[in-house]
Amino acid sequence: MFLYFVFPLFLVIPVGIYMYIIFRRLFTVLWGEVSVSLQRIVSFVLAAAAAIPVSYIFSTWAMIVLHFAAFSLLVDAVRLILMKTLYRKEGRSPRKIWSILYRTGAMAAVLTLAVLGYAYVNMHQVREQEYTVVTDKDIRPEGYTVVFLSDLHFGTTMDAEDLKGYCSRMEEAEPDLVILGGDIVDEASSLDEVRQAFGILGQMDSTYGVYYVYGNHDKGRYSQSCDFTMEELAQEMEAAGVHILEDDTLAVNDEVYISGRWDRGDASGIGYTRLSSRELAAAIPQGCFAIMADHQPRAMEENAAAGYDLMLSGHTHGGQMWPVGLITELFDHDTVNYGQKSFGDMELIVSSGIAGWGYPLRTGKHSEYVVVHIEPQDKTE
């Protein structure tokens, strides 16, 4: 609630004030002959037009304005330091060209363009991230290969042809099973995009099939005008041959079982109490390799205590836009932002996601799909 409503309101006011200062500074260079009153009026209107849309911080425009404001503030700080030290000591002023670049906001604009240009390219460069998990469970000598992808938010960064290309790359790993970790679609996806996404993902070549857990966005709960219903979403997945896991446990074969939890945020939104990890693990015979798929990387200790060997999660996007990931690591100690971490005998792997939500930009981590090699302990000895 704070992130969606309260924080944006507190953000708009200082951004609006600072943008007004920036526009006034600009007009002293470009519009110096015009009356000060008119400059103020126009600056106020432009500042409001730039700042008010920032109230929806999950938009491309908000990212542009916030980055420009941040870099302008950085330039202001550097200039102030230079004016108080170097130029005061030498008794001179900055050259006219530097003064013009500063007052027109050109420096901040170039920095914004460079960073967001990188963010766009980074979002669209999908990597393969490999992990190896060693187990003392009695599994076949060749082990198992799992392909895991999450947070596609289909329609934000790629179309059907792009997705087919990435699926072909994933199939090169010769997966035994494919696990979809949620937020494959979201409230902005159309029903046709839902059909395309799961039609492609459901046909991925694997030994034991494609398994799916819902994320907090898939069901479109954040929009009143979602193009598909929850029933239509489930129908499209089932038609594509995708195994839906929502507080369920299924046998992959005699050696491997997979559990999928109801998404934490989704369950909270409708007042549903999720089954415990121990309840889900009750269906798993002792000695079998147990995989827990949960969109959000939470309750790791609980899952480890229930006997799970591997937990796969997404949701965090690796921060997507810096410094979100850093803030998460500093203040939220009940989750993991990215990567592999051990919890007792269980390995947690958190993916940054194959795409992102809200805007096609990423400065935090990279876009990826994950390949996990599960190997028997005697193979590594």
Side-chain angles (χ1 to χ4, degrees):
M1 184 69 70
F2 176 81
L3 186 62
Y4 283 90
F5 299 106
V6 181
F7 177 69
L9 292 178
F10 281 101
L11 190 63
V12 167
I13 295 173
V15 169
I17 293 172
Y18 192 49
M19 291 303 295
Y20 172 80
I21 294 171
I22 291 172
F23 281 120
R24 286 284 291 117
R25 188 187 297 157
L26 171 65
F27 289 144
T28 60
V29 177
L30 302 183
W31 214 10
E33 302 300 321
V34 177
S35 70
V36 173
S37 296
L38 182 57
Q39 289 185 33
R40 288 173 176 170
I41 293 171
V42 175
S43 296
F44 177 82
V45 172
L46 291 177
I52 290 174
V54 173
S55 61
Y56 182 62
I57 60 174
F58 302 106
S59 67
T60 302
W61 177 253
M63 288 299 102
I64 293 172
V65 173
L66 291 175
H67 276 79
F68 179 73
F71 283 125
S72 295
L73 192 61
L74 176 63
V75 171
D76 278 348
V78 171
R79 181 178 182 275
L80 179 62
I81 292 171
L82 291 175
M83 294 297 291
K84 294 291 185 180
T85 56
L86 180 63
Y87 292 119
R88 173 179 288 184
K89 181 178 179 181
E90 296 182 357
R92 62 185 180 89
S93 299
R95 292 183 181 180
K96 185 176 181 180
I97 183 62
W98 291 114
S99 180
I100 292 174
L101 290 175
Y102 163 70
R103 289 185 171 277
T104 58
M107 295 179 183
V110 170
L111 289 170
T112 300
L113 182 63
V115 169
L116 294 187
Y118 160 77
Y120 182 85
V121 172
N122 187 43
M123 174 65 87
H124 290 79
Q125 299 298 312
V126 178
R127 306 181 190 178
E128 177 183 294
Q129 182 66 47
E130 286 191 273
Y131 296 96
T132 298
V133 173
V134 178
T135 179
D136 59 0
K137 296 291 180 65
D138 187 17
I139 63 173
R140 64 190 190 185
E142 65 269 30
Y144 294 89
T145 298
V146 178
V147 163
F148 176 71
L149 69 144
S150 68
D151 302 283
L152 171 61
H153 294 277
F154 190 62
T156 302
T157 64
M158 65 182 74
D159 57 20
E161 289 305 311
D162 294 327
L163 182 57
K164 287 179 183 177
Y166 291 127
C167 286
S168 294
R169 281 172 52 183
M170 289 182 244
E171 287 176 334
E172 292 176 4
E174 299 182 351
D176 292 296
L177 64 156
V178 175
I179 300 176
L180 309 178
D183 284 359
I184 300 303
V185 294
D186 60 32
E187 58 280 339
S189 304
S190 66
L191 177 58
D192 186 56
E193 286 175 327
V194 169
R195 188 173 295 117
Q196 289 178 34
F198 288 105
I200 296 168
L201 292 167
Q203 296 304 307
M204 283 185 63
D205 188 20
S206 63
T207 308
Y208 299 107
V210 180
Y211 299 83
Y212 177 83
V213 290
Y214 286 101
N216 56 309
H217 284 278
D218 289 290
K219 296 179 181 178
R221 294 190 184 278
Y222 297 114
S223 173
Q224 298 297 320
S225 58
C226 187
D227 191 49
F228 55 89
T229 65
M230 288 183 283
E231 292 75 18
E232 288 172 328
L233 175 62
Q235 288 171 5
E236 293 301 331
M237 284 191 279
E238 290 167 355
V242 176
H243 303 285
I244 302 173
L245 298 170
E246 195 167 34
D247 273 0
D248 296 306
T249 299
L250 294 177
V252 174
N253 60 13
D254 293 337
E255 298 179 343
V256 179
Y257 278 68
I258 179 171
S259 298
R261 298 198 79 175
W262 197 301
D263 176 68
R264 177 174 178 265
D266 186 31
S268 175
I270 63 172
Y272 170 79
T273 301
R274 301 197 300 175
L275 293 182
S276 68
S277 302
R278 195 167 296 279
E279 289 174 300
L280 290 172
I284 303 175
Q286 189 173 5
C288 291
F289 189 87
I291 301 173
M292 168 63 79
D294 191 354
H295 178 64
Q296 301 189 38
R298 299 278 182 174
M300 281 72 76
E301 291 85 359
E302 177 190 338
N303 295 335
Y308 286 94
D309 302 286
L310 172 64
M311 179 179 175
L312 298 171
S313 296
H315 182 64
T316 66
H317 298 196
Q320 188 162 339
M321 297 301 290
W322 187 90
V324 175
L326 178 61
I327 294 171
T328 299
E329 292 174 351
L330 289 175
F331 297 104
D332 190 348
H333 301 295
D334 293 328
T335 190
V336 173
N337 187 57
Y338 177 77
Q340 184 175 11
K341 186 175 180 179
S342 298
F343 289 85
D345 294 328
M346 185 189 79
E347 293 296 313
L348 166 71
I349 294 174
V350 181
S351 172
S352 57
I354 197 170
W357 180 63
Y359 34 78
L361 304 170
R362 178 191 284 278
T363 54
K365 297 301 181 183
H366 52 267
S367 299
E368 67 177 23
Y369 61 88
V370 169
V371 178
V372 184
H373 302 287
I374 303 170
E375 299 180 353
Q377 193 170 50
D378 56 5
K379 181 179 177 179
T380 62
E381 293 177 346

